[in-house]
Amino acid sequence: MGKVRVLMLADIPPELLHNESSMAVWNKYYLPTPILNLLEGLARIPELEISVLSFSRRGNARGMLWKRVHVEVVKVPKGSALSTFYLLRWPIVLRKIHHFSPDVVHGQGIESGYAWLATLQTVPHLLTFHGVYGVTAYLKPQGIWQRLGYKLQQVTLKRARHIIAISHYLENWFRQNTSANVYYVPNAVHDSFYHIKPNTYAEFDLLYVGRIMPAKGLLDAIEALIILERKRRLKLRMAVIGQPTSKEQQDYLNKCRMRAEMLERSEVIFLGNVSHEKLP
């Protein structure tokens, strides 16, 4: 039996393909993205033949990642938004996808239209959403491009057959609002995070950095802290970095503060916005 050809539709920075040292430079100055982590993991599976098709305003590029993943980046014409490019020129895009002759098409993310393109294929498709308009990405789509993305999302969710949810929050939402098969698979994590040496001088045991909203699970983290304190008798310090930007988020933050006050030995410190240079 031959290899299974998987085509990933996802954003890949064209700069990664400029020369052999591009990946090393990227890893030095940027955190590995979940998509790159996933691709690196899939590249280790001998039964798979992985290709990536991406679209960018920064130019055409073609090359290999880890000597096993073929990547092609296609330049979007000047003046075109990504969503309108897909909608108005989708026959061209589909011909480009057909060139790869995939057995499975994996669309990454709703925000650039990749998931929608995956649902147009005759071969099986799999979708991974990193955010959902009206649920996690934005409370209300604002502006013409976000509204267009919202409409594209509605069509995509109706056509979806298989969806990967990166959190239980999204998993439950997809099960309630779509007819697709839903699979819970957390974001891929780079190997280097499993080999971090403990820092005995760390100011905090846990660090939360993100938006203050239910989808991010801050309240769940505080509840876990309460359980660890009561059942394991642990004394932990957690820093929370993030600022509410709406009344709903402020209410959620207040709820988190109230639960944090239930801790006896452990402590949750809310630091608000902090620049990258000053992160704990």
Side-chain angles (χ1 to χ4, degrees), residues 14-280:
E15 294 81 2
L16 287 179
L17 307 173
H18 287 170
N19 52 60
E20 292 184 359
S21 63
S22 295
M23 179 62 77
V25 173
W26 179 270
N27 287 336
K28 181 178 180 180
Y29 292 103
Y30 300 92
L31 282 174
T33 67
I35 293 176
L36 289 176
N37 293 338
L38 175 61
L39 285 171
E40 186 175 0
L42 292 175
R44 301 172 185 174
I45 302 176
E47 293 81 10
L48 298 181
E49 182 180 308
I50 310 296
S51 299
V52 182
L53 179 60
S54 184
F55 298 89
S56 171
R57 297 185 182 88
R58 302 201 294 273
N60 296 305
R62 182 179 295 180
M64 300 289 289
L65 295 177
W66 308 288
K67 299 181 180 181
R68 287 209 55 203
V69 178
H70 171 73
V71 181
E72 183 171 350
V73 181
V74 178
K75 183 178 180 180
V76 175
K78 191 175 182 180
S80 296
L82 289 174
S83 297
T84 54
F85 172 70
Y86 298 141
L87 290 171
L88 299 179
R89 306 195 183 198
W90 59 268
I92 298 175
V93 176
L94 292 184
R95 284 199 294 272
K96 180 67 71 172
I97 294 174
H98 181 73
H99 173 74
F100 287 88
S101 300
D103 298 309
V104 178
V105 177
H106 187 175
Q108 282 275 347
I110 188 67
E111 51 279 348
S112 296
Y114 292 121
W116 174 71
L117 285 173
T119 66
L120 301 181
Q121 309 309 308
T122 56
V123 298
H125 67 260
L126 179 65
L127 312 179
T128 297
F129 292 87
H130 303 285
V132 177
Y133 284 105
V135 181
T136 56
Y138 305 94
L139 292 176
K140 290 183 180 179
Q142 299 175 355
I144 185 172
W145 303 124
Q146 288 184 17
R147 289 192 179 96
L148 181 60
Y150 179 69
K151 292 295 183 183
L152 198 62
Q153 171 187 284
Q154 289 179 308
V155 174
T156 302
L157 290 174
K158 287 182 180 179
R159 298 178 61 92
R161 294 293 175 267
H162 302 278
I163 295 177
I164 287 179
I166 61 174
S167 69
H168 289 302
Y169 181 90
L170 279 177
E171 177 189 15
N172 294 333
W173 190 88
F174 286 134
R175 293 190 188 281
Q176 294 171 11
N177 294 276
T178 75
S179 59
N181 297 308
V182 182
Y183 314 91
Y184 168 64
V185 181
N187 268 334
V189 178
H190 196 267
D191 287 351
S192 58
F193 286 94
Y194 290 99
H195 303 289
I196 298 176
K197 296 181 179 179
N199 184 353
T200 56
Y201 303 103
E203 185 178 359
F204 299 100
D205 303 291
L206 300 168
L207 175 64
Y208 172 95
V209 181
R211 284 177 290 176
I212 308 298
M213 57 194 308
K216 299 300 182 181
L218 174 58
L219 186 58
D220 294 331
I222 295 174
E223 296 289 355
L225 211 59
I226 293 173
I227 293 173
L228 288 172
E229 181 185 82
R230 292 177 179 175
K231 293 190 175 182
R232 300 288 182 89
R233 312 297 294 178
L234 296 178
K235 181 179 179 180
L236 302 169
R237 298 186 81 230
M238 176 179 177
V240 175
I241 295 175
Q243 193 81 6
T245 58
S246 67
K247 182 181 182 302
E248 290 81 3
Q249 292 184 14
Q250 183 61 56
D251 292 341
Y252 180 71
L253 177 59
N254 293 339
K255 187 181 296 186
C256 292
R257 289 182 184 275
M258 290 178 61
R259 289 303 291 163
E261 291 175 359
M262 301 296 294
L263 293 164
E264 297 177 0
R265 290 176 301 280
S266 297
E267 185 179 12
V268 178
I269 299 152
F270 297 87
L271 299 176
N273 284 335
V274 177
S275 64
H276 287 282
E277 295 78 15
K278 296 181 179 180
L279 284 175

